[in-house]
Amino acid sequence: MKTDIILSGVGGQGILSIAAVIGEAAVSNNLYMKQAEVHGMSQRGGDVQSNLRISDSPIASDLIPLGKADLIISLEPMEALRYLPYLSKQGWLVTNSVPFINISNYPAPEQVMAEIDKLPRKIVLDVEKIAKEVGSARTANIVMLGASSPFLGIDYAQIEAGVRYIFGKKGDAIVSLNLKALEAGRKVAETLM
Amino acid sequence: MSKHLFLGDEAIAQGALDAGISGVYAYPGTPSTEITEYIQASTEAAESPIHTRWATNEKTAMEAALGMSYVGKRALVCMKHVGMNVAADAFINAGMTGVNGGLVVVAADDPSMHSSQNEQDSRFYADFAFIPVFEPSNQQEAYDMVRKAFDFSEQFNVPVLFRVTTRLAHSRAGVETAPKKGQNNLSYPENSAQFILLPANARRRFKTILSGIPALSEASEKSEFNVYKEGSDKSLGIIACGIAYNYLMENFAGDCRYPVLKISQYPLPEKLIARIADECDAVLVLEEGYPFVEAKIKGLLGRGIVVKGKLDGTLQRDGELTPDSVGAVLGFAPKSEYAMPDVVQMRPPALCQGCGHRDMYDALNNVLREYENPRVFGDIGCYTLGALPPFRAIHSCVDMGASVTMAKGAADGGHFPAVAVIGDSTFTHSGITGLLDCVNENANVTIVISDNETTAMTGGQDSAGTGKIEAICAGVGVDPAHIRVLEPLKKNMESMMDTIREEINYKGVSVLIPRRECIQTLSRKKRSKK
């Protein structure tokens, strides 16, 4: 198996927290992994992305070639569109529906949605709303991970184990809250697939 | 052996710890910062005495590490590429002295300028200083090569430059570690003249260094990191340096039909290069940064072998390599299935909401509107973002500390008002000497030291001047009556403006210190207290 993923969002939204769980699940599954991150200046509210590659054979490049990503996971809808040149023909886009507007020339949100609607394979969801229903807005990124989970090429049980590992230090209550968030995200994806 | 998921930077850090370093010396700079941070947080540093505190700048870091090497211990120095300019005097003369304990200097280059003001290639410094270079292609090699670099440094009595670029520094992969080595004992150079670069000694040292070059070249020929891979199609031979090797292999799915020479250790292995040139009709050079290897192989006139790369336009001269840019050269045209829609707008970074620099710039802009042609000389840090809307508050950003001295030069040339904006960490890094120049000539400048009590842009490392800024300025000779501390908050706007106006109108050196803790550092402290 081989899954090439682009994670995107705005600096400060925490795309790396999603990558951390996937990475943990991949490594404990004895898969190869490479993950290019963005540090430095862009983290101050600029566009950020991370290339995450998982495979059962060794991976050469840290960067995903154009048109080869199996999945784009985006915490922000306009940022999802920025990386479309990397999406493969059969690839999926999983994105948060709520814009993060910190620039004066942000396009009309309906225009952004219209572009997303054109894609044949996408999951669009309001992760913060779902996270609040689950019990805490802070689990929004895990809801996003849950919605992406059918496309990762990793067993769901392994992703649950990754969540348990990453949040383990924070106690059982936080772990079970995040597992609920993961499940809620996955359910949305399953109804929209 | 145990397996870890390491950033390239973390692999270097763990490799250095496992090589038995007694100290890391560094000034924060993207993409090198995480090396030192990893060592600071390591159990090794907690359990054994390892120097880990940030240095004031890259030059002091380089010199302290050389001192540690002098007494026989292993030392690591880390910096971003432009830090090499600051450390250059010490680095190049460390090439003259050689080492006692192993000395490895990591330079993290930033092609594509993700967080930098240029794309300079650190390999040129090593070439200039007769210092060998190790350039890993992946995270595992980064770990293995750091360990090797320390042994190599001691074996050949030279510092080693360890060159990485952004993508390796900031990409994670699985790394297997090997058993740890203990620290060196104190020992002193056998030849007491080695480190005394008086002309008479230096002339002898230079002969020693020159006579050592063949041994370094021979080591490159035999290096396990420089690998010649056979290929059936001899119409092209490919030389791939460091991380470029990965992009090559990505395109051929690991099975390249052309002969490939992977280079990760310099001085260049001439025999291996001659072999690929002799066997193939043409040579393609893939390297991150400047066409360093390409130019060397091509020579001045470029007659004889056909060399393709960045000099002949085969590859783009600027920006980092990608699997796509390398693939395009090899006939694998990159193909997008979906285009980026036109609605997508640029989203540049910005100062955080609630940041003290914002209030500082608002106050400064409000006052400067009262003057005919104000010029504000900026510097390197978060506050460089003051160049962007809505502030558009600075007119220059060149190098660490240049705000102070450029303001002085403008004032010397008759310009008024000449204002400098510099952060606290940048001020102690390279602004103090410039301020002394201002004081000695009573230059008519207003220096704003926007003090957020941290090195913010790189993630909030300790700042060397915290709690000392006024004392430093007074010590340099600024009249204490014209060292004015402000609290940059909206509610203080009127009083801030009054103070700024008074000091701009004062004919002489004034220092304004708007001081409020970085909100990122503050919230991190609050979280860790919980």
Side-chain angles (χ1 to χ4, degrees):
Chain A
M1 62 75 67
K2 185 166 194 277
T3 309
D4 284 340
I5 306 161
I6 289 180
L7 288 149
S8 64
V10 180
Q13 282 190 310
I15 59 168
L16 295 182
S17 67
I18 298 175
V21 179
I22 301 175
E24 179 53 37
V27 168
S28 58
N29 236 344
N30 284 318
L31 296 170
Y32 291 92
M33 185 192 134
K34 282 204 171 184
Q35 185 210 329
E37 301 176 359
V38 174
H39 296 214
M41 201 176 228
S42 323
Q43 288 176 296
R44 302 274 170 268
D47 58 281
V48 291
Q49 51 79 24
S50 173
N51 281 210
L52 180 57
R53 316 189 76 186
I54 308 165
S55 174
D56 54 12
S57 56
I59 302 161
S61 168
D62 297 85
L63 297 175
I64 299 167
L66 285 164
K68 293 287 170 63
D70 302 292
L71 175 63
I72 294 175
I73 303 173
S74 185
L75 288 168
E76 206 282 337
M78 186 182 81
E79 294 309 321
L81 296 173
R82 193 184 301 281
Y83 303 99
L84 285 187
Y86 288 91
L87 190 63
S88 72
K89 199 162 190 179
Q90 300 302 319
W92 281 84
L93 171 69
V94 181
T95 184
N96 186 17
S97 60
V98 180
F100 186 101
I101 303 176
N102 65 343
I103 50 172
S104 57
N105 57 342
Y106 194 94
E110 344 34 289
Q111 279 184 305
V112 173
M113 277 306 146
E115 292 293 342
I116 291 172
D117 281 342
K118 288 180 190 169
L119 292 167
R121 279 165 289 278
K122 74 263 176 185
I123 306 287
V124 184
L125 71 169
D126 181 341
V127 290
E128 197 168 301
K129 182 163 161 267
I130 296 166
K132 279 181 188 157
E133 286 164 9
V134 168
S136 166
R138 297 186 67 171
T139 63
N141 290 2
I142 300 303
V143 173
M144 177 56 79
L145 176 63
S148 312
S149 62
F151 314 107
L152 297 174
I154 300 175
D155 286 345
Y156 187 65
Q158 292 288 348
I159 299 163
E160 287 183 311
V163 168
R164 278 194 204 95
Y165 179 83
I166 298 283
F167 293 99
K169 275 183 239 163
K170 297 186 176 171
D172 292 343
I174 300 288
V175 168
S176 72
L177 184 66
N178 278 284
L179 287 174
K180 265 206 280 181
L182 188 75
E183 184 59 32
R186 185 171 179 98
K187 277 196 179 133
V188 173
E190 282 170 346
T191 56
L192 294 175
M193 273 166 78
Chain B
M1 288 241 194
S2 56
K3 191 148 188 171
H4 309 267
L5 198 54
F6 280 152
L7 285 177
D9 277 350
E10 294 168 348
I12 293 168
Q14 188 62 54
L17 286 168
D18 291 346
I21 54 165
S22 298
V24 58
Y25 293 89
Y27 181 79
T30 311
S32 71
T33 312
E34 295 79 7
I35 306 170
T36 305
E37 288 186 323
Y38 180 94
I39 295 172
Q40 288 171 340
S42 68
T43 49
E44 287 89 341
E47 285 164 4
S48 56
I50 297 176
H51 176 277
T52 64
R53 193 178 163 138
W54 293 106
T56 303
N57 66 34
E58 293 86 354
K59 179 174 181 282
T60 66
M62 180 73 216
E63 290 157 349
L66 187 63
M68 185 170 267
S69 165
Y70 179 92
V71 298
K73 304 286 184 93
R74 291 185 164 187
L76 180 73
V77 192
C78 310
M79 62 193 77
K80 67 182 296 170
H81 59 343
V82 286
M84 287 292 286
N85 303 331
V86 180
D89 198 5
F91 177 80
I92 287 160
N93 286 304
M96 284 293 285
T97 61
V99 306
N100 185 23
L103 179 59
V104 175
V105 181
V106 181
D109 292 359
D110 189 20
S112 279
M113 299 178 260
H114 297 279
S115 267
S116 307
Q117 70 271 45
N118 73 33
E119 295 196 351
Q120 66 181 64
D121 187 325
S122 298
R123 293 175 297 174
F124 285 87
Y125 271 113
D127 193 49
F128 188 44
F130 306 97
I131 287 173
V133 181
F134 282 34
E135 185 184 13
S137 66
N138 61 40
Q139 294 78 355
Q140 182 67 55
E141 220 172 43
Y143 174 83
D144 297 338
M145 287 183 85
V146 165
R147 300 190 59 147
K148 184 85 180 185
F150 277 103
D151 292 342
F152 191 92
S153 171
E154 288 173 2
Q155 184 188 346
F156 290 90
N157 184 24
V158 289
V160 172
L161 179 74
F162 201 86
R163 187 225 187 193
V164 294
T165 53
T166 304
R167 290 299 170 186
L168 180 57
H170 285 170
S171 178
R172 251 172 238 287
V175 173
E176 278 186 8
T177 57
K180 206 175 296 295
K181 190 186 166 300
Q183 292 189 26
N184 288 355
N185 293 322
L186 275 176
S187 72
Y188 298 87
E190 283 170 21
N191 173 3
S192 60
Q194 181 191 338
F195 284 84
I196 307 171
L197 296 177
L198 274 168
N201 290 344
R203 283 181 211 115
R204 273 196 299 274
R205 277 297 304 164
F206 194 37
K207 284 189 194 300
T208 306
I209 286 155
L210 292 173
S211 67
I213 291 173
L216 295 176
S217 298
E218 193 55 29
S220 288
E221 302 286 353
K222 291 179 180 155
S223 168
E224 66 201 271
F225 305 116
N226 292 339
V227 183
Y228 194 99
K229 296 182 91 163
E230 303 286 351
S232 55
D233 185 345
K234 306 284 172 82
S235 63
L236 187 69
I238 303 173
I239 294 176
C241 307
I243 199 170
Y245 180 76
N246 300 349
Y247 300 140
L248 174 65
M249 288 304 150
E250 177 75 22
N251 279 285
F252 285 101
D255 188 23
C256 182
R257 66 177 183 275
Y258 304 111
V260 175
L261 173 58
K262 169 183 170 288
I263 294 181
S264 284
Q265 185 176 332
Y266 311 65
L268 287 173
E270 285 181 32
K271 290 175 198 162
L272 289 171
I273 291 169
R275 182 178 160 198
I276 202 164
D278 289 345
E279 284 185 11
C280 303
D281 301 337
V283 175
L284 169 68
V285 183
L286 303 174
E287 54 191 322
E288 279 252 89
Y290 292 173
F292 172 80
V293 173
E294 187 185 348
K296 287 222 168 211
I297 294 174
K298 200 166 191 162
L300 180 62
L301 300 177
R303 293 177 188 164
I305 52 169
V306 180
V307 183
K308 298 179 184 180
K310 295 183 176 179
L311 291 171
D312 72 340
T314 301
L315 280 155
Q316 192 172 311
R317 184 84 186 247
D318 63 326
E320 65 187 337
L321 297 175
T322 65
D324 300 311
S325 67
V326 170
V329 170
L330 296 162
F332 304 97
K335 198 165 154 245
S336 288
E337 302 290 343
Y338 304 96
M340 185 175 79
D342 293 336
V343 298
V344 178
Q345 302 297 321
M346 300 260 288
R347 196 190 300 258
L351 289 170
C352 303
Q353 294 302 323
C355 168
H357 294 317
R358 284 181 170 262
D359 299 310
M360 177 274 291
Y361 275 132
D362 281 337
L364 188 62
N365 277 346
N366 286 344
V367 173
L368 289 175
R369 274 186 213 107
E370 300 163 9
Y371 296 84
E372 197 179 325
N373 184 22
R375 294 287 140 165
V376 179
F377 299 90
D379 224 299
I380 313 270
C382 285
Y383 49 92
T384 314
L385 295 171
L388 305 176
F391 303 105
R392 297 187 189 281
I394 60 171
H395 301 93
S396 75
C397 160
V398 181
D399 66 78
M400 297 284 281
S403 58
V404 176
T405 26
M406 283 183 72
K408 176 181 182 293
D412 291 347
H415 175 79
F416 175 82
V419 179
V421 172
I422 186 169
D424 50 309
S425 185
T426 305
F427 174 67
T428 48
H429 178 289
S430 287
I432 301 172
T433 46
L435 184 60
L436 180 59
D437 280 349
C438 293
V439 167
N440 287 345
E441 297 184 41
N442 197 29
N444 191 14
V445 293
T446 305
I447 313 292
V448 180
I449 303 175
S450 198
D451 183 3
N452 58 8
E453 303 180 308
T454 188
T455 312
M457 179 56 90
T458 47
Q461 295 75 26
D462 291 342
S463 174
T466 299
K468 306 187 183 86
I469 302 291
E470 294 94 311
I472 290 169
C473 295
V476 163
V478 180
D479 179 351
H482 295 284
I483 301 172
R484 311 278 297 268
V485 178
L486 315 169
E487 191 184 19
L489 286 169
K490 288 210 173 13
K491 63 174 185 182
N492 298 336
M493 191 55 62
E494 287 302 319
S495 68
M496 284 167 68
M497 287 172 59
D498 290 344
T499 310
I500 292 169
R501 193 180 297 109
E502 280 169 34
E503 293 306 329
I504 287 174
N505 290 340
Y506 168 68
K507 289 209 177 349
V509 181
S510 35
V511 174
L512 294 160
I513 308 172
R515 175 174 296 134
R516 183 150 67 78
E517 186 172 11
C518 166
I519 59 159
Q520 298 282 351
T521 312
L522 186 66
S523 70
R524 219 173 10 255
K525 276 186 196 162
K526 280 183 183 160
R527 275 200 302 274
S528 67
K529 267 185 199 156
K530 269 183 192 167

